[in-house]
Amino acid sequence: MDWKEVLRRRLATLHTRPNKKKSEQELKDEEMDLFTKYYSEWKGGRKNTNEFYKTIPRFYYRLPAEDEVLLQKLREESRAVFLQRKSRELLDNEELQNLWFLLDKHQTPPMIGEEAMINYENFLKVGEKSGAKCKQFFTAKVFAKLLHTDSYGRISIMQFFNYVMRKGKIKIQDILACSFLDDLLELRDEELSKESQETNWFSAPSALRVYGQYLNLDKDHNGMLSKEELSRYGTATMTNVFLDRVFQECLTYDGEMDYKTYLDFVLALENRKEPAALQYIFKLLDIENKGYLNVFSLNYFFRAIQELMKIHGQDPVSFQDVKDEIFDMVKPKDPLKISLQDLINSNQGDTVTTILIDLNGFWTYENREALVANDSENSADLDDT
């Protein structure tokens, strides 16, 4: 058939058919018909209801009972691994110190009073150099949030750094998953003894104790601690070599330590059996930043112990003997290197670190047998009375 004839007939049909719009009721009926059609097709394609439920992700896992020892252990291990992974996402002291160094290096003039400022261009440069962990902070949104009334379009370096520090927040689910919650719940006991309160890090007596120590050490009352002021911490027997490392590696402000850095320091020294505390101290002992301690690094710290012994009129102990004892205690995989994991696995990390950084701790270790015998004699005398 000729296409012209087809077109002619089509036009004729359009002219003879009334141009009528569908009524509202007809549109509703058509919509319902389509819904019924597609719903029936969807429902018919899922003949087995159980198959539908299989597509829903599991959201409830039963907690293991007290007698399910293996499941309890598995839960504890998985929780520990999870928290370790989350803690690695936070900036450590070295990374914070590096961030502060970069911000200070890229500050944008002119200064307003004593406050250092940075513009957006330099802000992005610092973001590129500060490492992967810091990238989340170097966004236009964060910069705009901290931008206030500076006529040069800059933000305060100190305000930005404090913003980063505040982002070390802990999620509620992490608190619920860690053992610290037990210490917090313990404080609900109104009859908790004074001794128990003082050993509980979250109690008021413990907080006052730590803060009181800080105030007592701060002799010039400037709110910060110098190396000389920190040297009086505890029994005032930590070596200068170790204190030098503390101020080299930890975040300081013009060579002085603020209260937050002091809290990290106290937590590490008071909990030397914990992996996190050992990691803190190990980093200070690893002077060559090699990831392990060798004979050189052990000797480097123990020489300071020997010097203190001479000052206090004690006969210095041979380093060779101490070195052999340390390696015997730790039993590292490599007989010439002690890694952080070796220290943790040995369960002797607190003893080893104490020997290397604190004269009083070393003296206690050296005279442990005599001290134990003396305690036994005292106990026997008490029993006789």
Side-chain angles (χ1 to χ4, degrees):
M1 182 182 291
D2 186 16
W3 65 271
K4 291 183 180 180
E5 182 64 24
V6 174
L7 181 60
R8 190 180 294 108
R9 290 183 180 182
R10 179 63 179 164
L11 289 172
T13 303
L14 291 174
H15 284 301
T16 56
R17 189 171 63 185
N19 187 16
K20 181 176 70 173
K21 290 185 178 179
K22 293 181 180 180
S23 67
E24 185 176 344
Q25 184 60 43
E26 287 175 331
L27 289 173
K28 286 183 178 180
D29 292 342
E30 186 177 289
E31 182 179 338
M32 180 57 69
D33 291 339
L34 289 171
F35 172 78
T36 304
K37 173 187 175 185
Y38 291 123
Y39 178 77
S40 299
E41 291 177 358
W42 175 82
K43 186 177 179 182
R46 297 183 179 271
K47 297 178 181 179
N48 190 346
T49 310
N50 291 331
E51 292 182 4
F52 171 72
Y53 290 134
K54 289 179 181 179
T55 63
I56 301 176
R58 185 176 179 182
F59 58 89
Y60 172 74
Y61 293 85
R62 180 182 65 84
L63 292 178
E66 292 184 2
D67 58 341
E68 296 176 315
V69 180
L70 289 178
L71 290 179
Q72 287 279 6
K73 289 291 183 183
L74 176 63
R75 182 169 179 265
E76 290 175 7
E77 287 297 321
S78 60
R79 182 174 64 182
V81 170
F82 170 76
L83 291 177
Q84 286 176 4
R85 186 174 71 249
K86 297 299 289 185
S87 67
R88 285 195 293 268
E89 295 175 5
L90 300 177
L91 299 179
D92 59 27
N93 284 327
E94 182 180 359
E95 290 163 332
L96 285 170
Q97 193 166 9
N98 180 57
L99 175 61
W100 178 258
F101 170 78
L102 289 171
L103 288 168
D104 185 62
K105 183 179 178 181
H106 289 81
Q107 59 177 281
T108 308
M111 290 185 67
I112 299 176
E114 296 183 355
E115 190 169 18
M117 311 290 283
I118 188 170
N119 62 15
Y120 188 63
E121 182 181 356
N122 287 340
F123 177 78
L124 294 180
K125 289 179 181 178
V126 174
E128 293 174 358
K129 298 178 180 179
S130 57
K133 283 186 182 180
C134 296
K135 283 189 177 180
Q136 58 177 316
F137 303 113
F138 289 89
T139 64
K141 184 177 180 180
V142 171
F143 189 89
K145 184 184 293 186
L146 300 176
L147 183 63
H148 297 298
T149 58
D150 183 67
S151 57
Y152 297 94
R154 304 168 302 172
I155 63 172
S156 165
I157 286 178
M158 181 58 73
Q159 286 184 8
F160 172 72
F161 190 74
N162 288 335
Y163 172 83
V164 174
M165 295 280 282
R166 288 195 301 270
K167 290 298 179 179
K169 292 185 289 189
I170 303 174
K171 294 182 179 179
I172 292 176
Q173 64 184 18
D174 293 344
I175 295 177
L176 293 173
C178 75
S179 60
F180 289 146
L181 187 61
D182 297 334
D183 294 333
L184 286 170
L185 294 177
E186 185 182 48
L187 298 178
R188 297 168 62 182
D189 184 1
E190 296 180 358
E191 298 180 358
L192 192 66
S193 66
K194 184 179 179 181
E195 292 77 12
S196 298
Q197 289 187 46
E198 289 177 349
T199 58
N200 189 311
W201 179 259
F202 300 102
S203 69
S206 176
L208 290 173
R209 173 183 63 83
V210 175
Y211 189 60
Q213 289 174 348
Y214 185 79
L215 294 179
N216 289 332
L217 292 173
D218 183 18
K219 293 300 181 183
D220 58 7
H221 305 295
N222 68 341
M224 309 281 277
L225 297 183
S226 66
K227 176 191 163 187
E228 193 275 330
E229 289 172 328
L230 186 64
S231 68
R232 293 192 293 271
Y233 172 81
T235 56
T237 52
M238 286 186 296
T239 67
N240 282 329
V241 171
F242 176 68
L243 291 172
D244 285 339
R245 289 292 296 155
V246 171
F247 279 81
Q248 287 170 7
E249 292 293 326
C250 297
L251 181 65
T252 58
Y253 301 89
D254 294 327
E256 294 197 315
M257 176 185 290
D258 69 351
Y259 186 59
K260 182 182 182 302
T261 305
Y262 174 76
L263 282 178
D264 293 337
F265 176 79
V266 173
L267 270 171
L269 292 187
E270 291 190 358
N271 299 275
R272 295 182 211 187
K273 288 183 178 292
E274 299 297 327
L278 287 176
Q279 183 180 22
Y280 177 97
I281 300 174
F282 184 89
K283 187 177 180 181
L284 302 177
L285 299 178
D286 184 13
I287 54 176
E288 297 178 289
N289 198 27
K290 291 183 175 180
Y292 60 83
L293 306 180
N294 53 20
V295 175
F296 173 79
S297 53
L298 296 181
N299 187 39
Y300 179 82
F301 285 95
F302 191 72
R303 275 185 305 178
I305 294 289
Q306 292 173 318
E307 291 172 5
L308 283 178
M309 294 181 75
K310 292 178 182 178
I311 292 173
H312 288 82
Q314 302 174 12
D315 294 329
V317 177
S318 166
F319 168 70
Q320 191 66 31
D321 295 338
V322 173
K323 183 260 297 182
D324 292 339
E325 285 190 52
I326 289 176
F327 276 90
D328 287 341
M329 281 191 288
V330 177
K331 296 181 176 59
K333 291 182 179 179
D334 187 322
L336 299 177
K337 302 174 183 177
I338 297 176
S339 68
L340 173 61
Q341 197 59 50
D342 290 329
L343 276 182
I344 295 172
N345 293 342
S346 70
N347 292 321
Q348 298 292 331
D350 58 324
T351 302
V352 171
T353 54
T354 300
I355 288 173
L356 296 173
I357 68 176
D358 189 341
L359 175 61
N360 185 61
F362 173 75
W363 184 88
T364 303
Y365 171 75
E366 275 293 287
N367 297 275
R368 60 194 181 281
E369 295 178 359
L371 292 172
V372 170
N374 187 47
D375 289 341
S376 299
E377 291 177 4
N378 292 335
S379 299
D381 292 340
L382 289 173
D383 291 340
D384 293 337
T385 58

